[in-house]
């Protein structure tokens, strides 16, 4: 049975061509696009020997109703490879930097978090299978290619996964507005897993209780909190900054 799926947008398609070209069976490009982005994409298509089909915008719109495909769609075989956390951790040659999302159900928020994780060099994004969004086409598009480069691992029991990370000497750091220390005051070891909850609700009780420590992002204006992807960026890039200095 075929497991073909569609990915779309220049970032997502180019990333797939670069990192997993054998899975790309066809690229459909709006024949009216002759700009630099289209030319760069065509170079990757030619380099990998992938089938190219020129299509008009109406055909692409019909393939992905309501999607902002930017004039490029790719048919991909094989689906996304399901990874276990051990698959990632056992191959690392540097201290792990992980992002854990507890209760994120908006695919655009997930996509933005994946993009931030990729930018900060995080090794994986982890979420529970319940109360969490899967890696949908909308999430992949928002991720701008990061859905193909950052493993998204969904686990059955998040608290148990956190304890398994702790057994590997990975510090589990939760973010909470009521925490006593802010992210710039707190100290932590080089191996970290950052836990962010949904806006408004925050982390679930058991998740919070399992964390090694809680930190807050100091807020100096009138709003009480940040969007989860922005908060993820603050945490991951501060952790990356300290890793670079060690």
């Amino acid at each position: 049975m075929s497991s073909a799926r569609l990915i779309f947008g220049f970032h997502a398609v180019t990333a797939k061509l670069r990192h997993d070209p054998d899975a790309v069976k066809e690229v459909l490009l709006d024949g009216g696009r002759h700009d630099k982005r289209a030319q760069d994409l065509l170079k990757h298509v030619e380099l990998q020997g992938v089938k190219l089909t020129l299509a008009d915008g109406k055909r692409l719109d019909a393939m992905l109703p309501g999607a902002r495909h930017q004039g490029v769609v790719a048919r991909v075989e094989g689906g996304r490879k399901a990874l276990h956390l051990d698959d990632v951790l056992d191959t690392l040659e540097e201290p792990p930097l992980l992002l854990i999302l507890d209760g994120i159900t908006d695919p655009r928020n997930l996509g933005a978090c994946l993009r931030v994780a990729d930018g900060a060099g995080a090794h994986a994004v982890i979420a529970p299978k319940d109360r969490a969004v899967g890696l949908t086409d909308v999430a992949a598009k928002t991720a701008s290619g990061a859905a193909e480069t950052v493993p998204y691992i969904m686990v059955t029991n998040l608290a148990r996964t956190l304890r398994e990370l702790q057994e590997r000497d990975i510090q589990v750091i939760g973010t909470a507005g009521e925490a006593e220390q802010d992210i710039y005051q707190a100290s932590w070891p080089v191996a970290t897993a950052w836990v962010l909850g949904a806006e408004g609700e925050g982390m679930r009780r058991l998740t919070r209780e399992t964390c090694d420590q809680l930190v807050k992002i100091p807020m100096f204006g009138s709003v009480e909190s940040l969007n989860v992807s922005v908060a993820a960026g603050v945490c991951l890039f501060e952790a990356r900054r300290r890793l670079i200095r060690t």
Side-chain angles (χ1 to χ4, degrees), residues 17 36-49:
L17 285 167
K36 185 177 184 302
R37 297 185 80 182
Q39 294 301 316
D40 289 343
L41 177 73
L42 288 171
K43 291 178 182 178
H44 286 288
V45 171
E46 182 178 357
L47 178 65
Q48 301 299 344

Side-chain angles (χ1 to χ4, degrees), residues 9 41 55 132 143 185 209 246:
L41 177 73
Q185 299 167 330
E209 292 175 354
T246 57

